[in-house]
Amino acid sequence: MTEVWALFGAVVGTYLWRALGVGLSGRINTNSEFFKWIACVTYAMVAGLVFRIMTLPVGLLAELPTSARLLSAGLGFAVMLWRHPRLGGLIPGLLAGSSVILIAGLLQSN
Amino acid sequence: MSSLRAIIQFRIRDPARMSTHPPSLIFESEAQAFKSGLRDALGAPAAVLFAGMLGFGALGHSIGLSFWVTTASSLLMYALPGQVVFAEMIATGATAFVIGLAAALTAARFLPMTLTVLPQIPAERRDAKLYLWVHTLSMTSWAIAMRDFPKMDPLHRRAYFCGLGLVCWGVSAPATAIGYQLAGTVPLPITLALVFLNPLFFLLTFAEVRPPANRVAIFLGAFLGPLTYLVSRDYSLLATGLIGGTIAYLFIRIRDARGRP
């Protein structure tokens, strides 16, 4: 039963932020300084979350060495930036990065 | 019209390439913008969410959550980092109230996320139904919307946003359910690669962020995120956003002010 109540609390706690955003968004002008500031805050938050997951993961990812996670991120990012019509870009970058994780995982389990 | 169609067709075939060489996104109608949102979501964004939720399903199983609560959290919370906190805290035996509060703290990012995406939708396309649609907003669809909204007619943004969100949200609960059932049967290296796709996706989309202030914010956030996490797990994200974002904003503002005659 605790599970269900906890889920209820977490669902409400999560949704409230989204609803608050809808309620307030009508008053925000995209050319305002406030909009520019809140965009910076959001990008800092999202980047903070992503780098935290990569450097200090909890759960499964913690089983990999930090070097493997950083190598995967670095290679993925490099491939993303590569201006090659087929071998560069988002999807090749994701494939390259996750291959590093796959190989690191295989090496570790041996 | 034929060249227009060529642009759209091309887009469908290779969305990854489009991201580095973007033409303007032109839709003939809102219906077409909605469909395009659905289609764009079915590439990397849905794959990334599917992989992340698959991993979460497996996590729920290993922690000992019930199948239904694990799957329902994807359907109703639909916020992966918060769901991980939720699952872990249940495992530690925290009270329902404390768990709800902790999940709410990690979800605080949804406020600035909605505040940066929704004001880009013009007032005549905003109504009470957005209170439903906003539930389909994830970090994944946020990243895509932030990238592509400026390239399209403002009147088409809402329809595109709905299409994008619907697919991303739609794949999450089934992926969680599958992950829960498959837990333990998939080799660990594959699970690891799938789970890592999620943060990797966001890292790669950072490459396409153009405004200098936002780039500085990402750079600062990258350092502050892990640092503040060592101090406080609960307030790490809020602190990172407010400190990193404010410094980035002021830095570029001061730089621009100096640049002007």
Side-chain angles (χ1 to χ4, degrees):
Chain A
M1 213 49 214
T2 317
E3 267 190 0
V4 177
W5 279 114
L7 178 64
F8 178 77
V11 167
V12 172
T14 304
Y15 177 73
L16 280 179
W17 294 109
R18 305 190 211 242
L20 190 62
V22 178
L24 295 175
S25 63
R27 300 184 197 169
I28 295 171
N29 183 332
T30 50
N31 294 318
S32 65
E33 290 301 312
F34 177 77
F35 184 78
K36 287 180 197 161
W37 172 73
I38 201 83
C40 287
V41 170
T42 319
Y43 275 110
M45 258 186 174
V46 172
L49 181 62
V50 169
F51 280 84
R52 197 277 295 161
I53 293 173
M54 287 186 163
T55 54
L56 304 164
V58 285
L60 270 184
L61 288 177
E63 294 181 25
L64 281 174
T66 309
S67 57
R69 284 179 257 122
L70 293 182
L71 183 67
S72 161
L75 182 70
F77 200 75
V79 172
M80 169 82 189
L81 293 179
W82 191 19
R83 290 284 174 118
H84 191 283
R86 283 184 311 280
L87 301 177
L90 182 60
I91 291 169
L94 289 173
L95 291 175
S98 48
S99 312
V100 172
I101 296 293
L102 188 68
I103 293 164
L106 285 171
L107 289 176
Q108 205 174 30
S109 55
N110 282 342
Chain B
M1 277 304 128
S2 65
S3 63
L4 210 157
R5 213 150 273 148
I7 288 171
I8 293 158
Q9 297 277 315
F10 178 63
R11 222 171 105 62
I12 300 157
R13 237 180 288 135
D14 196 352
R17 188 180 163 193
M18 293 313 296
S19 57
T20 39
H21 305 281
S24 280
L25 298 180
I26 302 157
F27 308 120
E28 284 163 22
S29 64
E30 282 189 82
Q32 202 198 26
F34 179 74
K35 275 186 213 151
S36 193
L38 292 175
R39 230 163 3 215
D40 287 0
L42 278 172
V48 161
L49 259 167
F50 195 90
M53 290 293 180
L54 210 65
F56 174 72
L59 176 75
H61 184 273
S62 70
I63 277 177
L65 281 186
S66 76
F67 172 76
W68 291 109
V69 165
T70 308
T71 308
S73 75
S74 295
L75 199 68
L76 302 174
M77 277 178 76
Y78 187 45
L80 204 41
Q83 287 172 251
V84 172
V85 168
F86 165 77
E88 287 185 328
M89 288 186 77
I90 291 215
T92 62
T95 64
F97 179 75
V98 173
I99 294 172
L101 203 66
L105 275 172
T106 63
R109 72 181 185 285
F110 283 110
L111 178 62
M113 275 163 58
T114 46
L115 288 182
T116 44
V117 161
L118 297 181
Q120 300 186 56
I121 296 173
E124 60 262 46
R125 288 294 180 276
R126 270 193 251 130
D127 55 31
K129 280 186 204 147
L130 271 185
Y131 281 102
L132 284 179
W133 281 111
V134 76
H135 182 69
T136 68
L137 176 75
S138 60
M139 229 159 91
T140 319
S141 60
W142 173 81
I144 302 290
M146 289 299 282
R147 186 189 73 192
D148 289 346
F149 268 12
K151 301 178 205 159
M152 66 181 79
D153 181 344
L155 289 174
H156 291 156
R157 287 175 186 166
R158 185 202 162 123
Y160 185 86
F161 173 79
C162 292
L164 194 66
L166 195 61
V167 169
C168 290
W169 181 65
V171 301
S172 297
T176 310
I178 294 169
Y180 192 96
Q181 301 297 347
L182 289 183
T185 63
V186 181
L188 185 65
I190 294 177
T191 314
L192 287 172
L194 288 175
V195 171
F196 201 71
L197 264 183
N198 222 311
L200 194 61
F201 173 80
F202 298 114
L203 178 77
L204 300 198
T205 55
F206 291 153
E208 297 176 321
V209 174
R210 297 280 168 247
N214 297 349
R215 289 187 156 196
V216 176
I218 289 168
F219 183 77
L220 293 174
F223 287 98
L224 287 170
L227 278 179
T228 54
Y229 189 77
L230 294 174
V231 181
S232 160
R233 287 175 71 154
D234 286 347
Y235 293 97
S236 160
L237 276 191
L238 275 176
T240 301
L242 289 175
I243 300 169
T246 306
I247 294 174
Y249 168 78
L250 291 174
F251 176 77
I252 293 298
R253 205 183 153 153
I254 291 166
R255 194 201 65 169
D256 287 355
R258 284 213 184 124
R260 276 186 214 120

